[in-house]
Amino acid sequence: MSLVFDEYGNPFIVIRDQQAKERLRGIEAHRSHILAAKTISNIMKSSLGPKGMDKMMVSQDGEVLVTNDGATILENMQVDNQIAKLMVQLSKSQDDEIGDGTTGVVVLAGSLLEQAEQLIEKGIHPCRIYEGYETACKIATEHLKTISDSIEFSKDNIEPLIKTAMTCLGSKIVNRFHRQMSEIAVKAVISVADLERKDVNLENIKLEGKEGGKLEDTQLVKGIIIDKGISHPQMPKIIKDAKICLLTCPFEPPKPKTKNSIEITKAEDFKVLGEIEQKYFTDMVEKVKATGANLVICQWGFDDEANHLLLQNNLPAVRWVGGLDLEKIAMATGGRIVARFEDVSADKLGRAGLVREVGFGTTQDRYLSIEDCPNTNAVTIFVRGGNKMIVEEAKRSIHDALCVTRNLIRDNRVIYGGGSSEISCGLKISAMADDIASIEQYAVRAFADALDAIPLALAENSGLPSIESLSTVKAMQIKEKNPRLGIDCNHRDTNDMKAQHVFDTLPGKTQQFLLANQVVKMILKIDDIIKMGPGAD
Ligand code: ADP
């Protein structure tokens, strides 16, 4: 746009490139973005639940990622459409706040929009629709509270937490070992949690992974781990009550910095030189030992001769440790990193209850685990798996389990999964809809119908006849007045999700409803899309 003046000095605005703008208005706009949102939600639908499928994402440079996690799928999908981007954001918000339920929230939002589309076609104004949705969402979240159960747990009784984390891992690649994985996740959270204050800092749980080995080899280390081993195979592999000297300077006799040449004419001179160097190095070792250190962790390398001398002098060492790792160790052990060898002293040593090198059977792989550090209660989950894709997906799944456990510590209320809570909320909303006299009644009912998308998708993904399963369970819920009945995805011959130990957290489910409703409202409020063409201001 530009402001110009005519010959009489009157201003007028020239709008350039009007033709470069694309514009969709009213019902066309609604149709277009509902379609975009539905497309995204349809992609996600088949990933929902314990029998959900995984997606393989191939990046532009050919890197492959296999995942079942909604947020990860969407994050890696290249979407151009703005509305589709909103759905990606939706899943991310659920991930940030709750950490689980990222697929469900998108499926729900897609279904709400699908219902809204039908109402718009009937001529109901979008604003009446989202007002109705708002009412229904309120009913649903209130109802969730009434059907929730609280689970009791303590530091010594973590079984209920493990069961809940297992539900969340049941749909992931790790499900063959989901008992073991959820035990690891729950133990990790418990060890960093403050149960009195109901507070968990997940930053204190590090997730590290290395390909090789099996998923069962995944383990919880009560400390930090470094991807390095002790420098000599004959040095002790377990150091109790470790006092660690952290060096960023080379641990070897100094080399002349400028170019000097030493001329050696006799064999004796060469021997003498060798002895002087050796003495220099043994003095260095003595100096470190004199501070009381029983382990040296060094950012630099030292050659094989130095390594041998360290072994002879009983000073285990680790070499080539990265700068970041060294800082991590320093923080955890309370040590100070020494940059000049002259500064080595007793007060700069880091402490740890136990340092050990852990190897993996016959492979060369090993890592150093530094446990019982004074300055941190950080723990590390060390994930193993056949290849990088599996390790990465296992890390994502464990992250979900960690989040679920953290949520339970903050709020110990759970609701039952398998679509049971959605069916129960749907029934409640439908019953309440009859009392609403205005046109909103349609929207409220539509919300109830939209909730069916979750049990329908769960049934479909498990190879069950979806509509038939849903109507059977619905009828059973009404007849038995039991809100715990859901879709029997694992064919266990019972629809009672309490008996199957399928739990979702109450805050997680509530958040799913609220976020989905919020984004749907936002999308329904847009009735004009103006796309600037290239060159338009
Ligand atoms: P999200 O990313 O949304 O958590 P999931 O793929 O983990 O998606 O699926 C979660 C849904 O699957 C929840 O609605 C949960 O109740 C349901 N679910 C999980 N395990 C079972 C099970 N064993 N039987 C029935 N439903 C299950």
Side-chain angles (χ1 to χ4, degrees), residues 4-199:
V4 285
F5 297 89
D6 64 13
E7 60 266 43
Y8 304 109
N10 297 325
F12 65 95
I13 293 170
V14 177
I15 301 175
R16 271 184 286 133
D17 297 323
Q18 192 59 273
Q19 73 282 11
K21 287 180 186 165
E22 279 177 43
R23 191 160 187 184
L24 281 180
R25 303 185 71 165
I27 196 156
E28 282 309 315
H30 282 123
R31 274 202 196 112
S32 131
H33 40 235
I34 288 177
L35 181 69
K38 264 190 344 197
T39 315
I40 297 284
S41 118
N42 282 339
I43 297 174
M44 307 300 295
K45 233 180 220 168
S46 63
S47 289
L48 188 75
K51 297 285 165 76
M53 292 301 202
D54 293 349
K55 307 274 177 222
M56 181 184 261
M57 331 276 297
V58 186
S59 75
Q60 276 177 349
D61 42 12
E63 204 172 311
V64 178
L65 180 141
V66 177
T67 184
N68 176 282
D69 181 57
T72 314
I73 299 172
L74 288 172
E75 205 174 292
N76 287 284
M77 217 152 50
Q78 282 193 345
V79 287
D80 260 350
N81 187 291
Q82 300 308 318
I83 300 294
K85 280 189 186 152
L86 281 181
M87 301 294 265
V88 176
Q89 279 293 325
L90 167 68
S91 166
K92 190 157 182 320
S93 327
Q94 175 81 13
D95 197 29
D96 290 346
E97 300 224 357
I98 303 291
D100 185 43
T102 49
T103 318
V105 71
V106 176
V107 173
L108 186 58
S111 171
L112 282 170
L113 283 168
E114 201 170 332
Q115 294 292 334
E117 189 182 22
Q118 289 169 17
L119 297 181
I120 292 174
E121 297 290 344
K122 274 189 193 152
I124 300 179
H125 194 275
C127 97
R128 305 307 295 268
I129 301 174
Y130 64 70
E131 277 163 11
Y133 277 6
E134 203 79 54
T135 316
C137 188
K138 217 175 261 161
I139 300 173
T141 47
E142 284 304 318
H143 184 64
L144 280 180
K145 283 187 206 147
T146 62
I147 60 169
S148 69
D149 252 348
S150 42
I151 57 166
E152 297 306 326
F153 58 88
S154 65
K155 257 198 159 81
D156 309 313
N157 174 24
I158 54 171
E159 191 57 29
L161 292 177
I162 296 178
K163 287 259 161 58
T164 318
M166 272 167 72
T167 307
C168 141
L169 292 177
S171 58
K172 312 284 194 242
I173 228 167
V174 296
N175 66 1
R176 260 192 316 139
F177 313 107
H178 64 323
R179 166 86 211 181
Q180 185 195 344
M181 292 290 176
S182 46
E183 260 182 48
I184 289 177
V186 170
K187 281 184 186 157
V189 175
I190 287 286
S191 62
V192 303
D194 183 343
L195 290 184
E196 298 272 290
R197 286 172 45 221
K198 299 191 173 192
D199 185 33

Side-chain angles (χ1 to χ4, degrees), residues 189-317:
V189 175
I190 287 286
S191 62
V192 303
D194 183 343
L195 290 184
E196 298 272 290
R197 286 172 45 221
K198 299 191 173 192
D199 185 33
V200 183
N201 185 1
L202 284 189
E203 300 256 306
N204 279 338
I205 302 176
K206 307 265 180 303
L207 265 171
E208 304 271 349
K210 191 163 170 128
E211 59 249 50
K214 292 177 285 195
L215 270 174
E216 300 97 294
D217 296 334
T218 299
Q219 43 182 290
L220 176 67
V221 178
K222 293 230 152 108
I224 50 175
I225 62 170
I226 306 292
D227 193 6
K228 285 281 175 301
I230 301 273
S231 65
H232 198 289
Q234 281 163 22
M235 285 176 181
K237 301 276 186 294
I238 297 177
I239 300 150
K240 284 197 182 131
D241 198 11
K243 299 184 190 65
I244 311 165
C245 176
L246 300 159
L247 294 176
T248 50
C249 51
F251 195 31
E252 55 188 10
K255 302 263 182 303
K257 288 241 167 76
T258 47
K259 275 202 173 165
N260 296 322
S261 49
I262 304 169
E263 238 172 64
I264 294 173
T265 46
K266 289 185 287 194
E268 289 87 61
D269 287 352
F270 188 69
K271 229 170 118 193
V272 172
L273 185 71
E275 273 164 15
I276 293 174
E277 269 198 11
Q278 225 185 61
K279 164 120 190 11
Y280 200 99
F281 189 68
T282 28
D283 283 351
M284 283 172 93
V285 174
E286 283 310 317
K287 192 158 182 219
V288 172
K289 283 182 79 172
T291 62
N294 53 7
L295 174 69
V296 180
I297 297 185
C298 192
Q299 192 175 18
W300 290 67
F302 29 81
D303 58 17
D304 285 346
E305 196 192 338
N307 204 8
H308 180 70
L309 283 170
L310 283 168
L311 170 71
Q312 277 187 337
N313 285 285
N314 278 328
L315 187 59

Side-chain angles (χ1 to χ4, degrees), residues 521-537:
K521 179 174 176 182
M522 190 173 177
I523 293 175
L524 287 179
K525 279 185 93 165
I526 307 169
D527 77 335
D528 203 344
I529 313 172
I530 306 165
K531 264 196 213 156
M532 298 295 184
D537 278 33

